């Protein structure tokens, strides 16, 4: 297993998570019909990305899973930390 490939794939998994989170947050502000269509399209794109990752080598799959698995708790921690910053 190539460590550099794992790290690059982890960064890609993290990017996919953050991009999806951002798009879904914006979709939640739209009307219900647009939201449903957008979520279906996002789901199809994620299925395609996961299919490509699954077809790739083992180190790519491991890195993608690690990156996508570590990002949500770190992202929540960063968002909570911003709220506790002292105001001047």
């Amino acid at each position: 297993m190539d460590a550099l490939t794992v790290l690059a794939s982890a960064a890609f998994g993290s990017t996919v998570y953050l991009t999806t989170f951002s798009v879904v947050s914006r979709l939640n502000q739209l009307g219900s019909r647009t939201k449903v269509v957008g979520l279906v399209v996002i789901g199809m794109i994620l299925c395609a990305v996961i299919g490509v990752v699954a077809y790739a080598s083992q180190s790519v799959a491991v890195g993608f899973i690690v990156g996508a698995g570590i990002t949500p708790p770190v992202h929540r921690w960063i968002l909570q930390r911003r709220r506790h910053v002292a105001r001047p």
Side-chain angles (χ1 to χ4, degrees):
M1 193 176 324
D2 184 17
L4 188 58
T5 304
V6 171
L7 288 174
S9 299
F12 179 66
S14 177
T15 303
V16 169
Y17 167 79
L18 291 173
T19 303
T20 304
F21 182 81
S22 175
V23 170
V24 170
S25 295
R26 289 185 186 183
L27 283 174
N28 281 333
Q29 298 171 356
L30 301 175
S32 64
R33 185 175 190 135
T34 307
K35 186 187 314 185
V36 170
V37 171
L39 290 175
V40 168
V41 170
I42 292 296
M44 291 170 58
I45 292 170
L46 286 175
C47 285
V49 168
I50 291 170
V52 168
V53 168
Y55 186 73
S57 69
Q58 180 183 1
S59 57
V60 171
V62 167
F64 184 81
I65 291 168
V66 167
I70 290 176
T71 303
V74 172
H75 187 235
R76 281 191 297 272
W77 178 77
I78 290 171
L79 291 176
Q80 287 175 353
R81 186 173 166 98
R82 283 189 189 162
R83 287 186 214 138
H84 294 127
V85 173
R87 295 182 187 161

